[in-house]
Amino acid sequence: MSHEEIDQFGFSTRAVRAGQRRTDEMEQSEALFLSSSFTFESAAQAAARFSGEEEGNIYSRFTNPTVRVFEERLAALEGGEACVATASGMAAVLATAMTLLKAGDHVVASRGLFGTTTSLFSNVLTRFAVTTDFVPLTDYAAWEAAIRPETRLLFLETPSNPLTEVANIRRLAELAHANDCLLIVDNCFCTPALQRPLALGADLVIHSATKYLDGQGRCVGGAVVGDRERVGKDIFGFLRTAGPTMSPFNAWVFLKGLETLRLRMRAHCDNAMALADWLQHQPQVRQVHYPGLRSHPQHELAGAQQTGYGGIVSFEVEGGREAAWRLIDRTRLLSITANLGDAKSTITHPATTTHGRISAQQREASGVTEGLIRVSVGLEDVADLQADLEQALAAC
Ligand SMILES: *Cc1c(COP(=O)(O)O)cnc(C)c1O
C-alpha cells in the first residue's frame, strides 16, 4: 500500500495495515526475514545497490524488510515522513545526538528525563565536547534563559518519568524554532495512540519500543521518527555506519504490538485512572502524580495535548526509603522490575534503580524523593491491583 493510500486511513487501520508488503507466498501475517544479507542478480546490480542508484536490500545493519514494515507503520502512526528503528531506546537517543550534534554544540534538556538519558547527556556526550543544561520541564523562562548561540537541540519527555509532569509541546517547539533549534520529544509514555508531538510542532520523536510499543515486555528496541531529510537520510546514514540496528525478530514483535496499541493504551489509561484516584485517598500516601487527577498541576494541558492520561502513576509514601521498600516487598501481584509499559503491572523505586546513577543532588532537584514509588499500571483487573497495593500499604 502506498503512503498516499495509508494516509487516508484512520489510526487503527494504519496500526494494523501500514507497511505490509506480501511476498509471493501471500502470507496474511507479516513475514519475518531473518537474513543478515541479501543477494544480487549480478555484479552490476550489487554495484548499483551499494551506490544508491538502485533501491533495495543489501545488508540487515541498514536494510531489512521486516524492520522496514515496523518503521513504516510507526511513521504512519506518528505522522512522520520517515522512521529509523534502533537496537534500543537509548540507541535512538544516541543516534539522534551523534547525527545532529558536533563538538562545541549545546543542548537544553528537561530535568525529569529517564535516568539513562540524563546520564548519556551529562557523562558520555560531554567527553565529545557536547554540553547540556537541564531545566525544569515546565519552567518556560528557564528553557529560554538556557538557550545560547551554540544550542542546537531542546530535548524533553512528556509526561516525564517518573513524576508525570506535562510540558506544552507547541510552546517549546515555537521557542526552539525561534532560536534555530530542533525540538525532540521522547514519546515513550504516551505513544502515538495518546499524543502526536510532530503535529504539535516537534521536529523528531524518539521511542523506546521496549515499553508500550511491544506492550508485553519481550524485546528491547527503539526508533526515531521525523522528516525524510534528517531521519530518512542523516540518522539512517549514521545507523548504516555505526550499527545500533534493530534485529528483524524484534521488529516483527514490535510491529505486531502496534496492531493492538490503541486498545491496550485505552485499557492502561482506564486502570491507571482508577488506581490513581484510589491511591490519593489512602492515609499512608502523601502525594499521587497522575495527569488524569484534577490535583495534577498540568491536568488541563494534558487533557488538551493528549487523548488519554497514560498508564504511569507514581506516588510518595510517608517514611522515605524504608517505607517505600517495605511496600514494594509486600506486593504479591505487581512485578518488581524497572520495566514499564507491560501488560503486567510493575512497581519500582526510582531513587535506587532507574534514577540511581544520577547524583543525589540531581535526583532531589528532579523531585525523585526516597519515598517515591512508580507503578506502570498493566492490564490486570484493577480491583486485584488495588487489593494488592492495599495490603502492601498496610506495611508502610
Ligand atoms: C526506557 C526508556 C528509554 C530507554 O529505552 P531502552 O529501550 O531501555 O534503551 C528512554 N526513554 C524513556 C522515557 C524510557 O522509559
Side-chain angles (χ1 to χ4, degrees), residues 292-319:
L293 295 178
R294 247 183 286 268
S295 59
H296 188 284
Q298 295 94 34
H299 173 65
E300 273 179 33
L301 172 62
Q305 185 167 277
Q306 305 169 200
T307 56
Y309 297 109
I312 308 296
V313 176
S314 53
F315 59 99
E316 199 179 333
V317 291
E318 305 279 355

mmCIF file of all heavy atoms in Angstrom, residues 292-319:
data_model
loop_
_atom_site.group_PDB
_atom_site.id
_atom_site.type_symbol
_atom_site.label_atom_id
_atom_site.label_comp_id
_atom_site.label_asym_id
_atom_site.label_seq_id
_atom_site.Cartn_x
_atom_site.Cartn_y
_atom_site.Cartn_z
ATOM 1 N N GLY A 292 -4.187 12.566 35.014
ATOM 2 C CA GLY A 292 -5.645 12.480 34.976
ATOM 3 C C GLY A 292 -6.322 13.018 36.235
ATOM 4 O O GLY A 292 -7.531 13.244 36.234
ATOM 5 N N LEU A 293 -5.544 13.232 37.300
ATOM 6 C CA LEU A 293 -6.128 13.751 38.541
ATOM 7 C C LEU A 293 -6.271 15.266 38.447
ATOM 8 O O LEU A 293 -5.367 15.951 37.953
ATOM 9 C CB LEU A 293 -5.239 13.398 39.737
ATOM 10 C CG LEU A 293 -5.071 11.918 40.080
ATOM 11 C CD1 LEU A 293 -4.119 11.765 41.254
ATOM 12 C CD2 LEU A 293 -6.422 11.279 40.395
ATOM 13 N N ARG A 294 -7.373 15.772 38.958
ATOM 14 C CA ARG A 294 -7.586 17.214 38.943
ATOM 15 C C ARG A 294 -6.503 17.958 39.737
ATOM 16 O O ARG A 294 -6.193 19.107 39.465
ATOM 17 C CB ARG A 294 -8.967 17.542 39.513
ATOM 18 C CG ARG A 294 -9.885 18.118 38.468
ATOM 19 C CD ARG A 294 -11.218 18.481 39.113
ATOM 20 N NE ARG A 294 -11.983 17.274 39.397
ATOM 21 C CZ ARG A 294 -12.871 16.756 38.549
ATOM 22 N NH1 ARG A 294 -13.116 17.349 37.411
ATOM 23 N NH2 ARG A 294 -13.533 15.660 38.838
ATOM 24 N N SER A 295 -5.902 17.251 40.711
ATOM 25 C CA SER A 295 -4.860 17.884 41.533
ATOM 26 C C SER A 295 -3.523 18.005 40.785
ATOM 27 O O SER A 295 -2.615 18.693 41.245
ATOM 28 C CB SER A 295 -4.641 17.045 42.790
ATOM 29 O OG SER A 295 -4.253 15.718 42.426
ATOM 30 N N HIS A 296 -3.391 17.340 39.627
ATOM 31 C CA HIS A 296 -2.128 17.400 38.871
ATOM 32 C C HIS A 296 -1.954 18.805 38.296
ATOM 33 O O HIS A 296 -2.888 19.354 37.701
ATOM 34 C CB HIS A 296 -2.165 16.352 37.746
ATOM 35 C CG HIS A 296 -0.862 16.183 37.031
ATOM 36 N ND1 HIS A 296 -0.390 17.085 36.102
ATOM 37 C CD2 HIS A 296 0.082 15.210 37.111
ATOM 38 C CE1 HIS A 296 0.778 16.671 35.638
ATOM 39 N NE2 HIS A 296 1.094 15.535 36.240
ATOM 40 N N PRO A 297 -0.764 19.406 38.478
ATOM 41 C CA PRO A 297 -0.596 20.806 38.058
ATOM 42 C C PRO A 297 -0.833 21.049 36.553
ATOM 43 O O PRO A 297 -1.189 22.158 36.161
ATOM 44 C CB PRO A 297 0.844 21.146 38.454
ATOM 45 C CG PRO A 297 1.480 19.863 38.881
ATOM 46 C CD PRO A 297 0.411 18.882 39.190
ATOM 47 N N GLN A 298 -0.624 20.050 35.723
ATOM 48 C CA GLN A 298 -0.865 20.262 34.281
ATOM 49 C C GLN A 298 -2.038 19.415 33.780
ATOM 50 O O GLN A 298 -2.055 18.973 32.626
ATOM 51 C CB GLN A 298 0.387 19.947 33.464
ATOM 52 C CG GLN A 298 1.569 20.855 33.728
ATOM 53 C CD GLN A 298 2.503 20.267 34.773
ATOM 54 O OE1 GLN A 298 2.680 19.049 34.848
ATOM 55 N NE2 GLN A 298 3.105 21.123 35.578
ATOM 56 N N HIS A 299 -3.013 19.206 34.651
ATOM 57 C CA HIS A 299 -4.170 18.380 34.281
ATOM 58 C C HIS A 299 -4.851 18.879 32.997
ATOM 59 O O HIS A 299 -5.148 18.104 32.090
ATOM 60 C CB HIS A 299 -5.159 18.356 35.449
ATOM 61 C CG HIS A 299 -6.454 17.678 35.142
ATOM 62 N ND1 HIS A 299 -6.522 16.324 34.852
ATOM 63 C CD2 HIS A 299 -7.733 18.157 35.057
ATOM 64 C CE1 HIS A 299 -7.785 16.009 34.616
ATOM 65 N NE2 HIS A 299 -8.533 17.091 34.731
ATOM 66 N N GLU A 300 -5.062 20.182 32.906
ATOM 67 C CA GLU A 300 -5.774 20.726 31.738
ATOM 68 C C GLU A 300 -4.956 20.624 30.474
ATOM 69 O O GLU A 300 -5.466 20.271 29.408
ATOM 70 C CB GLU A 300 -6.165 22.181 31.980
ATOM 71 C CG GLU A 300 -7.497 22.265 32.694
ATOM 72 C CD GLU A 300 -7.915 23.685 32.982
ATOM 73 O OE1 GLU A 300 -7.590 24.574 32.168
ATOM 74 O OE2 GLU A 300 -8.550 23.900 34.023
ATOM 75 N N LEU A 301 -3.682 20.939 30.595
ATOM 76 C CA LEU A 301 -2.790 20.827 29.431
ATOM 77 C C LEU A 301 -2.758 19.387 28.928
ATOM 78 O O LEU A 301 -2.843 19.133 27.723
ATOM 79 C CB LEU A 301 -1.376 21.294 29.804
ATOM 80 C CG LEU A 301 -0.289 21.071 28.754
ATOM 81 C CD1 LEU A 301 -0.584 21.853 27.480
ATOM 82 C CD2 LEU A 301 1.081 21.477 29.320
ATOM 83 N N ALA A 302 -2.645 18.440 29.855
ATOM 84 C CA ALA A 302 -2.623 17.024 29.454
ATOM 85 C C ALA A 302 -3.908 16.661 28.722
ATOM 86 O O ALA A 302 -3.886 15.945 27.720
ATOM 87 C CB ALA A 302 -2.427 16.131 30.678
ATOM 88 N N GLY A 303 -5.023 17.183 29.193
ATOM 89 C CA GLY A 303 -6.302 16.899 28.550
ATOM 90 C C GLY A 303 -6.383 17.458 27.141
ATOM 91 O O GLY A 303 -7.018 16.879 26.263
ATOM 92 N N ALA A 304 -5.727 18.598 26.932
ATOM 93 C CA ALA A 304 -5.773 19.225 25.617
ATOM 94 C C ALA A 304 -4.755 18.613 24.654
ATOM 95 O O ALA A 304 -5.011 18.484 23.458
ATOM 96 C CB ALA A 304 -5.498 20.729 25.763
ATOM 97 N N GLN A 305 -3.615 18.216 25.188
ATOM 98 C CA GLN A 305 -2.492 17.786 24.339
ATOM 99 C C GLN A 305 -2.507 16.278 24.078
ATOM 100 O O GLN A 305 -1.982 15.801 23.082
ATOM 101 C CB GLN A 305 -1.197 18.184 25.052
ATOM 102 C CG GLN A 305 0.077 17.950 24.306
ATOM 103 C CD GLN A 305 1.231 18.672 24.984
ATOM 104 O OE1 GLN A 305 1.440 19.854 24.767
ATOM 105 N NE2 GLN A 305 1.979 17.969 25.796
ATOM 106 N N GLN A 306 -3.101 15.527 25.000
ATOM 107 C CA GLN A 306 -3.136 14.074 24.916
ATOM 108 C C GLN A 306 -4.581 13.600 24.779
ATOM 109 O O GLN A 306 -5.486 14.285 25.248
ATOM 110 C CB GLN A 306 -2.532 13.453 26.191
ATOM 111 C CG GLN A 306 -1.140 13.930 26.512
ATOM 112 C CD GLN A 306 -0.632 13.520 27.900
ATOM 113 O OE1 GLN A 306 0.288 14.114 28.424
ATOM 114 N NE2 GLN A 306 -1.256 12.504 28.503
ATOM 115 N N THR A 307 -4.755 12.413 24.205
ATOM 116 C CA THR A 307 -6.109 11.866 24.134
ATOM 117 C C THR A 307 -6.357 10.847 25.247
ATOM 118 O O THR A 307 -7.369 10.161 25.258
ATOM 119 C CB THR A 307 -6.384 11.224 22.759
ATOM 120 O OG1 THR A 307 -5.382 10.232 22.531
ATOM 121 C CG2 THR A 307 -6.319 12.249 21.647
ATOM 122 N N GLY A 308 -5.418 10.766 26.187
ATOM 123 C CA GLY A 308 -5.566 9.904 27.354
ATOM 124 C C GLY A 308 -4.433 10.274 28.294
ATOM 125 O O GLY A 308 -3.463 10.899 27.871
ATOM 126 N N TYR A 309 -4.567 9.896 29.579
ATOM 127 C CA TYR A 309 -3.580 10.359 30.564
ATOM 128 C C TYR A 309 -2.435 9.388 30.797
ATOM 129 O O TYR A 309 -1.533 9.660 31.568
ATOM 130 C CB TYR A 309 -4.290 10.680 31.877
ATOM 131 C CG TYR A 309 -5.295 11.804 31.737
ATOM 132 C CD1 TYR A 309 -6.663 11.551 31.790
ATOM 133 C CD2 TYR A 309 -4.870 13.118 31.529
ATOM 134 C CE1 TYR A 309 -7.591 12.586 31.655
ATOM 135 C CE2 TYR A 309 -5.788 14.150 31.392
ATOM 136 C CZ TYR A 309 -7.145 13.878 31.455
ATOM 137 O OH TYR A 309 -8.052 14.899 31.316
ATOM 138 N N GLY A 310 -2.463 8.221 30.151
ATOM 139 C CA GLY A 310 -1.336 7.303 30.245
ATOM 140 C C GLY A 310 -1.468 6.268 31.336
ATOM 141 O O GLY A 310 -2.434 6.268 32.121
ATOM 142 N N GLY A 311 -0.487 5.369 31.391
ATOM 143 C CA GLY A 311 -0.555 4.220 32.293
ATOM 144 C C GLY A 311 0.419 4.271 33.454
ATOM 145 O O GLY A 311 0.569 3.292 34.179
ATOM 146 N N ILE A 312 1.112 5.411 33.625
ATOM 147 C CA ILE A 312 2.106 5.505 34.694
ATOM 148 C C ILE A 312 1.572 6.358 35.838
ATOM 149 O O ILE A 312 1.147 7.497 35.627
ATOM 150 C CB ILE A 312 3.424 6.131 34.179
ATOM 151 C CG1 ILE A 312 3.932 5.403 32.926
ATOM 152 C CG2 ILE A 312 4.484 6.152 35.288
ATOM 153 C CD1 ILE A 312 4.328 3.961 33.127
ATOM 154 N N VAL A 313 1.618 5.789 37.023
ATOM 155 C CA VAL A 313 1.194 6.507 38.228
ATOM 156 C C VAL A 313 2.353 6.449 39.203
ATOM 157 O O VAL A 313 2.920 5.374 39.428
ATOM 158 C CB VAL A 313 -0.026 5.809 38.882
ATOM 159 C CG1 VAL A 313 -0.404 6.492 40.193
ATOM 160 C CG2 VAL A 313 -1.211 5.781 37.928
ATOM 161 N N SER A 314 2.731 7.574 39.779
ATOM 162 C CA SER A 314 3.714 7.470 40.861
ATOM 163 C C SER A 314 3.144 8.136 42.099
ATOM 164 O O SER A 314 2.267 8.996 42.022
ATOM 165 C CB SER A 314 5.084 8.011 40.461
ATOM 166 O OG SER A 314 4.978 9.291 39.960
ATOM 167 N N PHE A 315 3.622 7.670 43.228
ATOM 168 C CA PHE A 315 3.093 8.207 44.490
ATOM 169 C C PHE A 315 4.174 8.155 45.556
ATOM 170 O O PHE A 315 5.107 7.352 45.491
ATOM 171 C CB PHE A 315 1.835 7.440 44.937
ATOM 172 C CG PHE A 315 2.020 5.963 45.167
ATOM 173 C CD1 PHE A 315 2.206 5.457 46.458
ATOM 174 C CD2 PHE A 315 2.009 5.074 44.105
ATOM 175 C CE1 PHE A 315 2.359 4.104 46.677
ATOM 176 C CE2 PHE A 315 2.178 3.706 44.312
ATOM 177 C CZ PHE A 315 2.354 3.220 45.595
ATOM 178 N N GLU A 316 4.019 9.074 46.512
ATOM 179 C CA GLU A 316 5.013 9.188 47.558
ATOM 180 C C GLU A 316 4.393 8.721 48.872
ATOM 181 O O GLU A 316 3.323 9.176 49.242
ATOM 182 C CB GLU A 316 5.451 10.644 47.674
ATOM 183 C CG GLU A 316 6.766 10.789 48.395
ATOM 184 C CD GLU A 316 7.209 12.236 48.478
ATOM 185 O OE1 GLU A 316 6.840 13.039 47.605
ATOM 186 O OE2 GLU A 316 7.911 12.545 49.441
ATOM 187 N N VAL A 317 5.108 7.804 49.526
ATOM 188 C CA VAL A 317 4.603 7.336 50.824
ATOM 189 C C VAL A 317 5.347 8.063 51.946
ATOM 190 O O VAL A 317 6.488 8.519 51.776
ATOM 191 C CB VAL A 317 4.773 5.802 50.991
ATOM 192 C CG1 VAL A 317 3.837 5.054 50.049
ATOM 193 C CG2 VAL A 317 6.215 5.359 50.773
ATOM 194 N N GLU A 318 4.706 8.156 53.074
ATOM 195 C CA GLU A 318 5.355 8.690 54.279
ATOM 196 C C GLU A 318 6.412 7.689 54.713
ATOM 197 O O GLU A 318 6.191 6.484 54.596
ATOM 198 C CB GLU A 318 4.330 8.821 55.420
ATOM 199 C CG GLU A 318 3.082 9.629 55.114
ATOM 200 C CD GLU A 318 3.322 11.123 55.244
ATOM 201 O OE1 GLU A 318 4.425 11.516 55.660
ATOM 202 O OE2 GLU A 318 2.397 11.896 54.921
ATOM 203 N N GLY A 319 7.546 8.185 55.197
ATOM 204 C CA GLY A 319 8.529 7.259 55.768
ATOM 205 C C GLY A 319 9.716 6.948 54.875
ATOM 206 O O GLY A 319 10.507 6.058 55.198
#
